[in-house]
PDB file of all heavy atoms in Angstrom:
ATOM      1  N   GLU A  32     -19.876  -1.037  10.084  1.00  0.00           N
ATOM      2  CA  GLU A  32     -20.556   0.256   9.980  1.00  0.00           C
ATOM      3  C   GLU A  32     -20.450   0.893   8.604  1.00  0.00           C
ATOM      4  O   GLU A  32     -21.060   1.927   8.371  1.00  0.00           O
ATOM      5  CB  GLU A  32     -19.964   1.221  11.020  1.00  0.00           C
ATOM      6  CG  GLU A  32     -20.221   0.847  12.432  1.00  0.00           C
ATOM      7  CD  GLU A  32     -19.447   1.699  13.423  1.00  0.00           C
ATOM      8  OE1 GLU A  32     -18.668   2.578  12.991  1.00  0.00           O
ATOM      9  OE2 GLU A  32     -19.602   1.479  14.629  1.00  0.00           O
ATOM     10  N   ASP A  33     -19.622   0.341   7.753  1.00  0.00           N
ATOM     11  CA  ASP A  33     -19.352   0.968   6.467  1.00  0.00           C
ATOM     12  C   ASP A  33     -18.902   2.394   6.685  1.00  0.00           C
ATOM     13  O   ASP A  33     -19.364   3.345   6.069  1.00  0.00           O
ATOM     14  CB  ASP A  33     -20.621   0.918   5.575  1.00  0.00           C
ATOM     15  CG  ASP A  33     -20.287   1.229   4.119  1.00  0.00           C
ATOM     16  OD1 ASP A  33     -19.148   0.990   3.706  1.00  0.00           O
ATOM     17  OD2 ASP A  33     -21.183   1.724   3.423  1.00  0.00           O
ATOM     18  N   HIS A  34     -17.973   2.561   7.619  1.00  0.00           N
ATOM     19  CA  HIS A  34     -17.433   3.847   8.011  1.00  0.00           C
ATOM     20  C   HIS A  34     -16.692   4.477   6.827  1.00  0.00           C
ATOM     21  O   HIS A  34     -15.984   3.792   6.079  1.00  0.00           O
ATOM     22  CB  HIS A  34     -16.473   3.646   9.188  1.00  0.00           C
ATOM     23  CG  HIS A  34     -16.076   4.886   9.855  1.00  0.00           C
ATOM     24  ND1 HIS A  34     -15.088   5.707   9.408  1.00  0.00           N
ATOM     25  CD2 HIS A  34     -16.556   5.491  11.000  1.00  0.00           C
ATOM     26  CE1 HIS A  34     -14.953   6.721  10.189  1.00  0.00           C
ATOM     27  NE2 HIS A  34     -15.819   6.623  11.167  1.00  0.00           N
ATOM     28  N   PRO A  35     -16.842   5.781   6.621  1.00  0.00           N
ATOM     29  CA  PRO A  35     -16.208   6.403   5.450  1.00  0.00           C
ATOM     30  C   PRO A  35     -14.697   6.317   5.445  1.00  0.00           C
ATOM     31  O   PRO A  35     -14.088   6.379   4.364  1.00  0.00           O
ATOM     32  CB  PRO A  35     -16.674   7.868   5.521  1.00  0.00           C
ATOM     33  CG  PRO A  35     -17.278   8.052   6.853  1.00  0.00           C
ATOM     34  CD  PRO A  35     -17.649   6.704   7.401  1.00  0.00           C
ATOM     35  N   ALA A  36     -14.064   6.172   6.586  1.00  0.00           N
ATOM     36  CA  ALA A  36     -12.597   6.102   6.647  1.00  0.00           C
ATOM     37  C   ALA A  36     -12.111   4.647   6.677  1.00  0.00           C
ATOM     38  O   ALA A  36     -10.932   4.400   6.847  1.00  0.00           O
ATOM     39  CB  ALA A  36     -12.074   6.831   7.865  1.00  0.00           C
ATOM     40  N   SER A  37     -13.010   3.704   6.497  1.00  0.00           N
ATOM     41  CA  SER A  37     -12.633   2.305   6.564  1.00  0.00           C
ATOM     42  C   SER A  37     -12.271   1.775   5.174  1.00  0.00           C
ATOM     43  O   SER A  37     -12.493   2.432   4.171  1.00  0.00           O
ATOM     44  CB  SER A  37     -13.805   1.493   7.137  1.00  0.00           C
ATOM     45  OG  SER A  37     -13.363   0.193   7.445  1.00  0.00           O
ATOM     46  N   ILE A  38     -11.716   0.575   5.170  1.00  0.00           N
ATOM     47  CA  ILE A  38     -11.382  -0.108   3.922  1.00  0.00           C
ATOM     48  C   ILE A  38     -12.223  -1.369   3.828  1.00  0.00           C
ATOM     49  O   ILE A  38     -12.860  -1.755   4.818  1.00  0.00           O
ATOM     50  CB  ILE A  38      -9.880  -0.407   3.796  1.00  0.00           C
ATOM     51  CG1 ILE A  38      -9.390  -1.239   4.968  1.00  0.00           C
ATOM     52  CG2 ILE A  38      -9.089   0.896   3.708  1.00  0.00           C
ATOM     53  CD1 ILE A  38      -7.908  -1.620   4.885  1.00  0.00           C
ATOM     54  N   ALA A  39     -12.230  -2.017   2.703  1.00  0.00           N
ATOM     55  CA  ALA A  39     -13.047  -3.237   2.512  1.00  0.00           C
ATOM     56  C   ALA A  39     -12.718  -4.255   3.619  1.00  0.00           C
ATOM     57  O   ALA A  39     -11.549  -4.372   4.000  1.00  0.00           O
ATOM     58  CB  ALA A  39     -12.765  -3.838   1.150  1.00  0.00           C
ATOM     59  N   PRO A  40     -13.737  -4.953   4.122  1.00  0.00           N
ATOM     60  CA  PRO A  40     -13.518  -5.878   5.269  1.00  0.00           C
ATOM     61  C   PRO A  40     -12.378  -6.879   5.072  1.00  0.00           C
ATOM     62  O   PRO A  40     -11.586  -7.078   5.987  1.00  0.00           O
ATOM     63  CB  PRO A  40     -14.859  -6.576   5.400  1.00  0.00           C
ATOM     64  CG  PRO A  40     -15.848  -5.576   4.893  1.00  0.00           C
ATOM     65  CD  PRO A  40     -15.149  -4.871   3.779  1.00  0.00           C
ATOM     66  N   GLY A  41     -12.230  -7.471   3.901  1.00  0.00           N
ATOM     67  CA  GLY A  41     -11.148  -8.425   3.675  1.00  0.00           C
ATOM     68  C   GLY A  41      -9.790  -7.767   3.775  1.00  0.00           C
ATOM     69  O   GLY A  41      -8.860  -8.321   4.352  1.00  0.00           O
ATOM     70  N   ARG A  42      -9.680  -6.593   3.204  1.00  0.00           N
ATOM     71  CA  ARG A  42      -8.410  -5.832   3.299  1.00  0.00           C
ATOM     72  C   ARG A  42      -8.180  -5.356   4.715  1.00  0.00           C
ATOM     73  O   ARG A  42      -7.047  -5.327   5.157  1.00  0.00           O
ATOM     74  CB  ARG A  42      -8.454  -4.641   2.323  1.00  0.00           C
ATOM     75  CG  ARG A  42      -8.514  -4.986   0.890  1.00  0.00           C
ATOM     76  CD  ARG A  42      -7.206  -4.895   0.132  1.00  0.00           C
ATOM     77  NE  ARG A  42      -6.361  -3.757   0.448  1.00  0.00           N
ATOM     78  CZ  ARG A  42      -5.074  -3.889   0.752  1.00  0.00           C
ATOM     79  NH1 ARG A  42      -4.488  -5.062   0.755  1.00  0.00           N
ATOM     80  NH2 ARG A  42      -4.358  -2.820   1.035  1.00  0.00           N
ATOM     81  N   LEU A  43      -9.261  -4.967   5.382  1.00  0.00           N
ATOM     82  CA  LEU A  43      -9.119  -4.510   6.758  1.00  0.00           C
ATOM     83  C   LEU A  43      -8.581  -5.629   7.643  1.00  0.00           C
ATOM     84  O   LEU A  43      -7.671  -5.403   8.472  1.00  0.00           O
ATOM     85  CB  LEU A  43     -10.451  -3.993   7.290  1.00  0.00           C
ATOM     86  CG  LEU A  43     -10.456  -3.399   8.692  1.00  0.00           C
ATOM     87  CD1 LEU A  43      -9.483  -2.243   8.801  1.00  0.00           C
ATOM     88  CD2 LEU A  43     -11.859  -2.942   9.073  1.00  0.00           C
ATOM     89  N   ALA A  44      -9.089  -6.846   7.482  1.00  0.00           N
ATOM     90  CA  ALA A  44      -8.582  -7.963   8.270  1.00  0.00           C
ATOM     91  C   ALA A  44      -7.112  -8.203   7.980  1.00  0.00           C
ATOM     92  O   ALA A  44      -6.302  -8.426   8.893  1.00  0.00           O
ATOM     93  CB  ALA A  44      -9.407  -9.213   7.997  1.00  0.00           C
ATOM     94  N   ALA A  45      -6.725  -8.170   6.717  1.00  0.00           N
ATOM     95  CA  ALA A  45      -5.313  -8.363   6.345  1.00  0.00           C
ATOM     96  C   ALA A  45      -4.427  -7.295   6.954  1.00  0.00           C
ATOM     97  O   ALA A  45      -3.339  -7.564   7.435  1.00  0.00           O
ATOM     98  CB  ALA A  45      -5.178  -8.398   4.824  1.00  0.00           C
ATOM     99  N   GLN A  46      -4.908  -6.039   6.908  1.00  0.00           N
ATOM    100  CA  GLN A  46      -4.135  -4.948   7.486  1.00  0.00           C
ATOM    101  C   GLN A  46      -4.035  -5.047   9.014  1.00  0.00           C
ATOM    102  O   GLN A  46      -3.031  -4.708   9.593  1.00  0.00           O
ATOM    103  CB  GLN A  46      -4.711  -3.607   7.072  1.00  0.00           C
ATOM    104  CG  GLN A  46      -4.587  -3.323   5.579  1.00  0.00           C
ATOM    105  CD  GLN A  46      -3.144  -3.297   5.119  1.00  0.00           C
ATOM    106  OE1 GLN A  46      -2.275  -2.697   5.731  1.00  0.00           O
ATOM    107  NE2 GLN A  46      -2.871  -3.986   4.004  1.00  0.00           N
ATOM    108  N   CYS A  47      -5.114  -5.554   9.640  1.00  0.00           N
ATOM    109  CA  CYS A  47      -5.059  -5.793  11.088  1.00  0.00           C
ATOM    110  C   CYS A  47      -3.998  -6.845  11.437  1.00  0.00           C
ATOM    111  O   CYS A  47      -3.239  -6.679  12.401  1.00  0.00           O
ATOM    112  CB  CYS A  47      -6.403  -6.265  11.619  1.00  0.00           C
ATOM    113  SG  CYS A  47      -7.606  -4.946  11.839  1.00  0.00           S
ATOM    114  N   LYS A  48      -3.915  -7.878  10.640  1.00  0.00           N
ATOM    115  CA  LYS A  48      -2.902  -8.919  10.866  1.00  0.00           C
ATOM    116  C   LYS A  48      -1.505  -8.311  10.760  1.00  0.00           C
ATOM    117  O   LYS A  48      -0.641  -8.592  11.598  1.00  0.00           O
ATOM    118  CB  LYS A  48      -3.079 -10.073   9.888  1.00  0.00           C
ATOM    119  CG  LYS A  48      -4.315 -10.899  10.151  1.00  0.00           C
ATOM    120  CD  LYS A  48      -4.562 -11.977   9.107  1.00  0.00           C
ATOM    121  CE  LYS A  48      -5.867 -12.700   9.391  1.00  0.00           C
ATOM    122  NZ  LYS A  48      -6.126 -13.767   8.381  1.00  0.00           N
ATOM    123  N   ARG A  49      -1.306  -7.500   9.757  1.00  0.00           N
ATOM    124  CA  ARG A  49      -0.016  -6.850   9.582  1.00  0.00           C
ATOM    125  C   ARG A  49       0.335  -5.925  10.775  1.00  0.00           C
ATOM    126  O   ARG A  49       1.426  -5.956  11.305  1.00  0.00           O
ATOM    127  CB  ARG A  49      -0.026  -6.061   8.279  1.00  0.00           C
ATOM    128  CG  ARG A  49       1.256  -5.381   7.981  1.00  0.00           C
ATOM    129  CD  ARG A  49       1.168  -4.659   6.662  1.00  0.00           C
ATOM    130  NE  ARG A  49       2.420  -3.966   6.409  1.00  0.00           N
ATOM    131  CZ  ARG A  49       2.635  -3.180   5.383  1.00  0.00           C
ATOM    132  NH1 ARG A  49       1.673  -2.967   4.498  1.00  0.00           N
ATOM    133  NH2 ARG A  49       3.782  -2.585   5.226  1.00  0.00           N
ATOM    134  N   LEU A  50      -0.637  -5.126  11.134  1.00  0.00           N
ATOM    135  CA  LEU A  50      -0.450  -4.206  12.272  1.00  0.00           C
ATOM    136  C   LEU A  50      -0.128  -4.950  13.533  1.00  0.00           C
ATOM    137  O   LEU A  50       0.826  -4.603  14.251  1.00  0.00           O
ATOM    138  CB  LEU A  50      -1.726  -3.360  12.446  1.00  0.00           C
ATOM    139  CG  LEU A  50      -1.749  -2.446  13.645  1.00  0.00           C
ATOM    140  CD1 LEU A  50      -1.132  -1.119  13.293  1.00  0.00           C
ATOM    141  CD2 LEU A  50      -3.182  -2.254  14.113  1.00  0.00           C
ATOM    142  N   ILE A  51      -0.915  -5.970  13.839  1.00  0.00           N
ATOM    143  CA  ILE A  51      -0.753  -6.706  15.090  1.00  0.00           C
ATOM    144  C   ILE A  51       0.589  -7.469  15.103  1.00  0.00           C
ATOM    145  O   ILE A  51       1.319  -7.464  16.102  1.00  0.00           O
ATOM    146  CB  ILE A  51      -1.928  -7.653  15.339  1.00  0.00           C
ATOM    147  CG1 ILE A  51      -3.162  -6.790  15.652  1.00  0.00           C
ATOM    148  CG2 ILE A  51      -1.662  -8.649  16.437  1.00  0.00           C
ATOM    149  CD1 ILE A  51      -4.468  -7.544  15.628  1.00  0.00           C
ATOM    150  N   TRP A  52       0.933  -8.086  13.979  1.00  0.00           N
ATOM    151  CA  TRP A  52       2.194  -8.825  13.908  1.00  0.00           C
ATOM    152  C   TRP A  52       3.371  -7.866  14.173  1.00  0.00           C
ATOM    153  O   TRP A  52       4.256  -8.176  14.977  1.00  0.00           O
ATOM    154  CB  TRP A  52       2.361  -9.508  12.559  1.00  0.00           C
ATOM    155  CG  TRP A  52       3.666 -10.223  12.449  1.00  0.00           C
ATOM    156  CD1 TRP A  52       4.756  -9.829  11.706  1.00  0.00           C
ATOM    157  CD2 TRP A  52       4.061 -11.420  13.127  1.00  0.00           C
ATOM    158  NE1 TRP A  52       5.783 -10.711  11.882  1.00  0.00           N
ATOM    159  CE2 TRP A  52       5.381 -11.706  12.755  1.00  0.00           C
ATOM    160  CE3 TRP A  52       3.412 -12.266  13.999  1.00  0.00           C
ATOM    161  CZ2 TRP A  52       6.074 -12.795  13.237  1.00  0.00           C
ATOM    162  CZ3 TRP A  52       4.108 -13.380  14.484  1.00  0.00           C
ATOM    163  CH2 TRP A  52       5.414 -13.636  14.103  1.00  0.00           C
ATOM    164  N   SER A  53       3.371  -6.723  13.533  1.00  0.00           N
ATOM    165  CA  SER A  53       4.448  -5.747  13.734  1.00  0.00           C
ATOM    166  C   SER A  53       4.470  -5.266  15.183  1.00  0.00           C
ATOM    167  O   SER A  53       5.531  -5.164  15.770  1.00  0.00           O
ATOM    168  CB  SER A  53       4.273  -4.544  12.799  1.00  0.00           C
ATOM    169  OG  SER A  53       4.402  -4.956  11.464  1.00  0.00           O
ATOM    170  N   TYR A  54       3.297  -4.961  15.720  1.00  0.00           N
ATOM    171  CA  TYR A  54       3.195  -4.499  17.101  1.00  0.00           C
ATOM    172  C   TYR A  54       3.784  -5.523  18.074  1.00  0.00           C
ATOM    173  O   TYR A  54       4.512  -5.184  19.009  1.00  0.00           O
ATOM    174  CB  TYR A  54       1.751  -4.190  17.441  1.00  0.00           C
ATOM    175  CG  TYR A  54       1.499  -3.906  18.906  1.00  0.00           C
ATOM    176  CD1 TYR A  54       1.965  -2.736  19.516  1.00  0.00           C
ATOM    177  CD2 TYR A  54       0.819  -4.833  19.671  1.00  0.00           C
ATOM    178  CE1 TYR A  54       1.729  -2.497  20.857  1.00  0.00           C
ATOM    179  CE2 TYR A  54       0.561  -4.581  21.025  1.00  0.00           C
ATOM    180  CZ  TYR A  54       1.019  -3.416  21.595  1.00  0.00           C
ATOM    181  OH  TYR A  54       0.775  -3.193  22.939  1.00  0.00           O
ATOM    182  N   LEU A  55       3.438  -6.795  17.875  1.00  0.00           N
ATOM    183  CA  LEU A  55       3.888  -7.813  18.812  1.00  0.00           C
ATOM    184  C   LEU A  55       5.344  -8.167  18.701  1.00  0.00           C
ATOM    185  O   LEU A  55       5.981  -8.580  19.684  1.00  0.00           O
ATOM    186  CB  LEU A  55       3.064  -9.103  18.614  1.00  0.00           C
ATOM    187  CG  LEU A  55       1.585  -9.030  18.986  1.00  0.00           C
ATOM    188  CD1 LEU A  55       0.899 -10.358  18.615  1.00  0.00           C
ATOM    189  CD2 LEU A  55       1.405  -8.732  20.476  1.00  0.00           C
ATOM    190  N   THR A  56       5.929  -8.010  17.528  1.00  0.00           N
ATOM    191  CA  THR A  56       7.286  -8.524  17.309  1.00  0.00           C
ATOM    192  C   THR A  56       8.376  -7.471  17.177  1.00  0.00           C
ATOM    193  O   THR A  56       9.553  -7.788  17.241  1.00  0.00           O
ATOM    194  CB  THR A  56       7.325  -9.407  16.065  1.00  0.00           C
ATOM    195  OG1 THR A  56       6.936  -8.666  14.905  1.00  0.00           O
ATOM    196  CG2 THR A  56       6.410 -10.640  16.246  1.00  0.00           C
ATOM    197  N   GLN A  57       7.997  -6.209  16.997  1.00  0.00           N
ATOM    198  CA  GLN A  57       9.019  -5.151  16.821  1.00  0.00           C
ATOM    199  C   GLN A  57       9.182  -4.362  18.113  1.00  0.00           C
ATOM    200  O   GLN A  57       8.218  -3.840  18.628  1.00  0.00           O
ATOM    201  CB  GLN A  57       8.613  -4.205  15.702  1.00  0.00           C
ATOM    202  CG  GLN A  57       8.408  -4.897  14.351  1.00  0.00           C
ATOM    203  CD  GLN A  57       9.653  -5.575  13.873  1.00  0.00           C
ATOM    204  OE1 GLN A  57      10.734  -4.983  13.843  1.00  0.00           O
ATOM    205  NE2 GLN A  57       9.515  -6.829  13.453  1.00  0.00           N
ATOM    206  N   ALA A  58      10.423  -4.281  18.567  1.00  0.00           N
ATOM    207  CA  ALA A  58      10.694  -3.495  19.780  1.00  0.00           C
ATOM    208  C   ALA A  58      10.500  -2.031  19.485  1.00  0.00           C
ATOM    209  O   ALA A  58      10.656  -1.564  18.339  1.00  0.00           O
ATOM    210  CB  ALA A  58      12.129  -3.758  20.256  1.00  0.00           C
ATOM    211  N   GLU A  59      10.132  -1.295  20.496  1.00  0.00           N
ATOM    212  CA  GLU A  59       9.967   0.178  20.352  1.00  0.00           C
ATOM    213  C   GLU A  59      11.315   0.773  19.980  1.00  0.00           C
ATOM    214  O   GLU A  59      12.331   0.495  20.618  1.00  0.00           O
ATOM    215  CB  GLU A  59       9.455   0.747  21.667  1.00  0.00           C
ATOM    216  CG  GLU A  59       9.074   2.178  21.554  1.00  0.00           C
ATOM    217  CD  GLU A  59       8.424   2.725  22.826  1.00  0.00           C
ATOM    218  OE1 GLU A  59       7.711   1.984  23.474  1.00  0.00           O
ATOM    219  OE2 GLU A  59       8.723   3.888  23.144  1.00  0.00           O
TER     220      GLU A  59
END
């Protein structure tokens, strides 16, 4: 959507990987 609060698609994918990895492996 080229959303104004978004980041470049390649960076967004990398940040998603970081977010998901942390979410899956770090206890609350």
